[in-house]
Amino acid sequence: MLRRNLYQEFYKLGHRKITWWAPIILLLLMVITGYGIGYNEGKLLTVTNYNSPDWIILLLVVVGATTFSMEFQNNAILTLLTKSPNKAIVYLSKYLVLFCYDCFLHAIAILFTIGLRYAPLNSHVSWSTIYLYHEPLWENMLKTVGVDLLTTMFIISLVFLLSCLINSNATVTIISLLIVFMGQFVSSSLLNYRDWLPLIKWNPFNMINLTREYYNYVTYYATSQLSNAQLLTGTLCYTLLFVTLGYLIFRKNISNTTYLEDATMNQFPTQLKKLRKSTNTTQDDLATKLFVSRQAISKWEAGDSTPDLTNLIKLTDIFNVGLDTLVFGAKPEEKVDSTEFVFDPKHNRYVRKLGKMNIWDFLAGYWWAILLIVFVIGFFSAF
């Protein structure tokens, strides 16, 4: 069951444009960082993979925020639960796939770093040069990547938790980015309460400093008041806590939804039979259109089995209804002005036709690009 869910999640991730645009965006940001930090900072740029930890977190937040929130908005999560009623497997598979994508981005960052070392962005430094913790440069770089994998998975667990609490992709993304880029300042403000310092220094915002403190210990230890080992321990504990809380909220959301798994099993057979008869379609005719046996159609209508996602989509096309109507018996949505709007099947919503976009449509569609520009400008303004 886990293998099937992993395959579905990898398939969905692989068919999203942002998945393949992310490495290109990452390379561009790494190049800009190389120019921005300075020619003589070759050691620091190599260890940090041209500041890729910050950029990878940015990309993972954008990708991870849609993992739950968009599926809750479009009720696609209910289709997954139809085929895999084990909620823990659905939740775990999403987390594992995003972890694999996290590893992929870090591996790409290493390859980009190797290539950029030979570009005229910074001074060339030997891999064997002793740098942090009396270790060679290559070892510092690999350890930074390993530490950042823990940091990014901590952020992903937080994104998953927020996604289960808020079913709005844009809201989850904005809140997550604010936590990532402002969390350090929030933690520093909390640490001003010296009487509570032994407790407050373990606040979750402080764990965001894990990667930065590894490659800049003196500066960030003064900020976090925790050693590398303590930050590592705290990050692992908070990651486990957020993953667990996220799953419990996810399970509760599914249980409290009006469209439950029981409704899926009870309504679909009735709806399928009703729609088939209303269009004067026999089981044989429907089986021919779907390239399945008549016995399969009979089992679907009897509630003995359910079709896979591909056949569900085909059924919506055959009967010209939405997935909610087919599976849950929901009333069809009202008609929209076809002269102004067109249906976007990829995002399962109506959008304005080209040339009729207003400022709100632009912000809704390209908010991620605006945020990216703002954070890039903010990052380099610090130098």
Side-chain angles (χ1 to χ4, degrees):
M1 185 179 295
L2 178 60
R3 181 183 300 178
R4 182 177 62 189
N5 278 272
L6 286 173
Y7 172 80
Q8 290 178 345
E9 294 301 326
F10 275 119
Y11 180 84
K12 289 188 294 184
L13 183 65
H15 283 74
R16 295 171 59 186
K17 289 183 180 180
I18 185 61
T19 302
W20 304 110
W21 273 105
I24 299 175
I25 296 173
L26 177 62
L27 175 59
L28 177 62
L29 292 172
M30 289 172 65
V31 171
I32 295 174
T33 302
Y35 278 111
I37 290 184
Y39 182 81
N40 296 320
E41 296 294 339
K43 294 179 182 178
L44 178 62
L45 288 170
T46 301
V47 168
T48 62
N49 288 313
Y50 290 76
N51 200 47
S52 65
D54 283 345
W55 308 133
I56 288 176
I57 285 181
L58 172 67
L59 295 170
L60 284 174
V61 166
V62 174
V63 174
T66 61
T67 302
F68 277 126
S69 54
M70 288 297 290
E71 291 189 347
F72 270 116
Q73 284 180 239
N74 299 326
N75 286 330
I77 192 71
L78 299 171
T79 304
L80 287 176
L81 290 169
T82 300
K83 298 304 299 176
S84 179
N86 190 323
K87 303 180 186 69
I89 294 297
V90 173
Y91 188 89
L92 179 62
S93 62
K94 291 179 179 296
Y95 194 82
L96 289 176
V97 167
L98 212 53
F99 172 72
C100 292
Y101 186 62
D102 186 11
C103 294
F104 167 74
L105 289 179
H106 279 89
I108 290 293
I110 292 175
L111 295 177
F112 287 160
T113 299
I114 294 173
L116 290 174
R117 278 171 52 83
Y118 298 97
L121 295 176
N122 54 270
S123 58
H124 183 74
V125 183
S126 173
W127 286 107
S128 59
T129 301
I130 303 301
Y131 190 41
L132 302 174
Y133 309 102
H134 305 289
E135 298 171 348
L137 201 61
W138 65 267
E139 187 173 343
N140 287 156
M141 183 188 70
L142 293 180
K143 286 186 176 180
T144 300
V145 169
V147 169
D148 194 56
L149 281 173
L150 297 177
T151 305
T152 49
M153 292 317 296
F154 162 72
I155 297 299
I156 290 173
S157 67
L158 178 60
V159 171
F160 271 34
L161 175 60
L162 291 173
S163 297
C164 292
L165 289 169
I166 308 169
N167 297 336
S168 170
N169 174 37
T171 304
V172 170
T173 303
I174 292 173
I175 294 176
S176 299
L177 290 176
L178 287 175
I179 291 174
V180 168
F181 291 96
M182 300 298 294
Q184 175 187 340
F185 303 104
V186 173
S187 179
S188 298
S189 299
L190 292 175
L191 292 178
N192 289 328
Y193 296 95
R194 295 294 176 178
D195 294 339
W196 297 89
L197 184 60
L199 178 63
I200 293 179
K201 67 181 181 180
W202 291 97
N203 72 83
F205 297 108
N206 214 4
M207 305 306 136
I208 300 173
N209 293 313
L210 175 62
T211 302
R212 298 188 183 102
E213 183 166 316
Y214 172 76
Y215 64 75
N216 193 351
Y217 184 82
V218 175
T219 300
Y220 281 93
Y221 177 75
T223 301
S224 70
Q225 298 296 309
L226 292 174
S227 66
N228 285 334
Q230 289 174 322
L231 280 176
L232 179 62
T233 303
T235 300
L236 290 173
C237 291
Y238 275 115
T239 300
L240 181 61
L241 175 64
F242 289 159
V243 169
T244 303
L245 288 176
Y247 169 67
L248 293 176
I249 296 172
F250 168 72
R251 186 176 65 178
K252 182 178 180 180
N253 286 346
I254 294 299
S255 299
N256 290 341
T257 306
T258 55
Y259 302 139
L260 303 176
E261 296 169 68
D262 291 339
T264 301
M265 299 302 294
N266 292 333
Q267 291 294 324
F268 172 71
T270 303
Q271 283 299 107
L272 177 60
K273 192 172 184 179
K274 177 181 176 181
L275 291 169
R276 181 179 62 79
K277 289 186 175 181
S278 66
T279 56
N280 296 319
T281 304
T282 66
Q283 288 186 344
D284 289 322
D285 293 336
L286 187 57
T288 301
K289 293 179 180 179
L290 295 173
F291 299 100
V292 298
S293 65
R294 187 193 64 80
Q295 287 77 12
I297 303 297
S298 179
K299 287 183 179 180
W300 294 348
E301 292 186 353
D304 295 331
S305 65
T306 55
D308 58 21
L309 182 59
T310 301
N311 282 324
L312 279 174
I313 295 175
K314 288 181 179 178
L315 285 169
T316 61
D317 292 335
I318 291 172
F319 296 122
N320 193 27
V321 295
L323 193 59
D324 284 357
T325 301
L326 173 65
V327 178
F328 309 117
K331 294 181 179 180
E333 296 182 356
E334 296 181 359
K335 299 289 184 180
V336 298
D337 185 357
S338 60
T339 63
E340 186 174 359
F341 295 89
V342 62
F343 185 71
D344 180 2
K346 181 178 179 180
H347 298 93
N348 192 31
R349 64 182 181 184
Y350 283 92
V351 296
R352 293 181 188 271
K353 290 184 176 180
L354 188 63
K356 295 181 177 292
M357 179 180 289
N358 57 32
I359 183 62
W360 303 113
D361 295 323
F362 177 80
L363 291 175
Y366 298 98
W367 55 266
W368 57 271
I370 298 172
L371 282 175
L372 179 61
I373 294 172
V374 169
F375 283 118
V376 169
I377 295 174
F379 174 78
F380 287 108
S381 64
F383 291 97

